[in-house]
């Protein structure tokens, strides 16, 4: 899709650059990259291409959206970020949350995800129920990421690899444990672990295992397990697309 990015002021661009530096230091110090990636994803993943509602437009700042079942614990990320956001009042929450997600990937060793500023904050949170359900399989993944958001099968598998960061928490999702041996490093280990089968102490959700049984998804899992550079390249594209759903559409 051709994008028509809005022009932003020199002051705004300087604020983005300075904020990015602050976020790098803060996220590294707090070891909170997984939280920030989840915030960015959950903010963007509510986009519905049919109604053109939801998406990465800062509505996660509202308690109503934070209270959605899929967002259990997300207020922790928002509260952590608030002192930094206060230093950059010129930035929209929409840009700020997506910038935090981009930085989270970069400082944990992942690819550099292109970032284009200019998202406007919206005042209306999306309806609940648009984020993916980890207990379901491939049809559900395609319904949410494909039909609802407008992303591709390749995007689905590449974004699944983002689970290389972080862990599930029983009190938030009902699941518990990390996906990979080092949940603070962004690499292709999600795919190597997935292909290796169940391992004690590591988590694989039904939506993860479903990737192995699909004739389109599985070859991509195998490709990314064998070639981290290919994963990083496709992940950067998929993450950018997710972070720009509904934004700068020509």
């Amino acid at each position: 899709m051709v994008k028509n990015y809005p022009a932003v002021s020199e002051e705004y661009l300087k604020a983005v650059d300075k904020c990015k530096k602050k976020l790098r230091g803060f996220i590294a110090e707090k070891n909170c990259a997984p939280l920030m990636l989840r915030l960015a994803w959950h903010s963007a993943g509510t986009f519905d291409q049919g109604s053109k509602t939801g998406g990465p437009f800062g509505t996660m700042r509202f308690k109503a959206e934070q209270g959605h079942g899929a967002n259990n614990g997300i207020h922790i990320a928002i509260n952590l970020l608030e002192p930094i956001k206060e230093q950059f009042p010129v930035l929209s929450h929409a840009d700020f949350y997506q910038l935090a997600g981009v930085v989270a990937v970069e400082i944990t060793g992942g690819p550099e995800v292109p970032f284009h500023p200019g998202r406007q904050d919206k005042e209306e949170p999306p309806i609940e129920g648009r984020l993916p359900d980890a207990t379901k399989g491939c049809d559900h993944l395609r319904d949410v990421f494909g039909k609802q958001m407008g992303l591709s099968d390749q995007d689905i598998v590449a974004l699944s690899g983002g689970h290389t960061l972080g862990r599930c928490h029983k009190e938030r999702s009902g699941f518990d444990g990390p996906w990979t041996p080092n949940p603070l490093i962004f690499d292709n280990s999600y795919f190597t672990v997935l292909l290796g089968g169940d391992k004690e102490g590591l988590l694989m959700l039904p939506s993860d295992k479903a990737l192995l049984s699909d004739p389109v998804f599985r070859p991509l899992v195998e490709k990314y397990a064998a070639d981290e550079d290919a994963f990083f390249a496709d992940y950067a594209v998929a993450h950018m697309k997710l972070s720009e759903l509904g934004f700068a559409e020509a």
Side-chain angles (χ1 to χ4, degrees):
M1 178 186 292
V2 176
K3 290 283 185 176
N4 183 21
Y5 296 110
V8 297
S9 69
E10 194 63 34
E11 177 199 13
Y12 199 93
L13 288 173
K14 282 182 178 173
V16 167
D17 192 51
K18 193 169 182 182
C19 182
K20 194 171 185 180
K21 290 183 173 75
K22 294 271 187 188
L23 285 168
R24 281 181 185 137
F26 178 80
I27 294 171
E29 180 201 358
K30 299 289 186 187
N31 277 339
C32 63
L35 275 174
M36 300 307 148
L37 187 58
R38 180 174 182 244
L39 172 60
W41 279 19
H42 282 219
S43 296
T46 58
F47 181 68
D48 175 67
Q49 62 176 348
S51 63
K52 303 293 185 190
T53 57
F57 299 105
T59 52
M60 196 66 85
R61 69 192 188 277
F62 296 121
K63 297 277 192 246
E65 188 169 350
Q66 294 172 33
H68 291 179
N71 291 331
N72 278 345
I74 212 151
H75 66 280
I76 298 167
I78 290 165
N79 292 345
L80 275 171
L81 285 173
E82 201 50 43
I84 295 181
K85 178 67 183 78
E86 287 173 0
Q87 296 175 47
F88 300 97
V90 69
L91 296 184
S92 66
H93 284 85
D95 276 346
F96 180 64
Y97 294 155
Q98 294 309 315
L99 188 62
V102 165
V103 170
V105 172
E106 177 198 314
I107 67 152
T108 49
E112 288 189 25
V113 178
F115 178 80
H116 303 99
R119 297 165 188 78
Q120 299 289 316
D121 284 339
K122 291 186 177 176
E123 302 302 317
E124 188 69 36
I127 58 170
E128 188 167 1
R130 290 184 178 175
L131 293 170
D133 181 339
T135 65
K136 296 188 176 175
C138 297
D139 288 347
H140 173 71
L141 290 173
R142 287 191 171 99
D143 281 344
V144 174
F145 286 96
K147 291 177 186 172
Q148 177 194 300
M149 296 185 214
L151 298 175
S152 70
D153 281 357
Q154 179 175 292
D155 296 330
I156 291 172
V157 181
L159 288 169
S160 296
H163 284 150
T164 184
L165 289 185
R167 58 182 297 130
C168 282
H169 299 265
K170 194 87 177 169
E171 69 277 11
R172 296 179 202 165
S173 64
F175 296 98
D176 191 48
W179 284 269
T180 63
N182 193 336
L184 290 172
I185 295 293
F186 195 104
D187 57 19
N188 68 337
S189 60
Y190 167 85
F191 299 106
T192 57
V193 169
L194 185 58
L195 288 171
D198 290 330
K199 286 189 175 62
E200 190 175 350
L202 297 181
L203 173 78
M204 283 296 152
L205 301 169
S207 56
D208 299 315
K209 291 179 179 177
L211 300 178
L212 296 178
S213 61
D214 185 90
V216 178
F217 290 155
R218 186 179 178 110
L220 288 163
V221 171
E222 292 170 347
K223 174 184 173 183
Y224 297 152
D227 188 344
E228 188 175 75
D229 289 343
F231 165 50
F232 276 22
D234 289 352
Y235 177 85
V237 171
H239 183 138
M240 184 183 78
K241 285 167 70 174
L242 177 67
S243 76
E244 295 183 354
L245 290 173
F247 168 57
E249 293 188 347

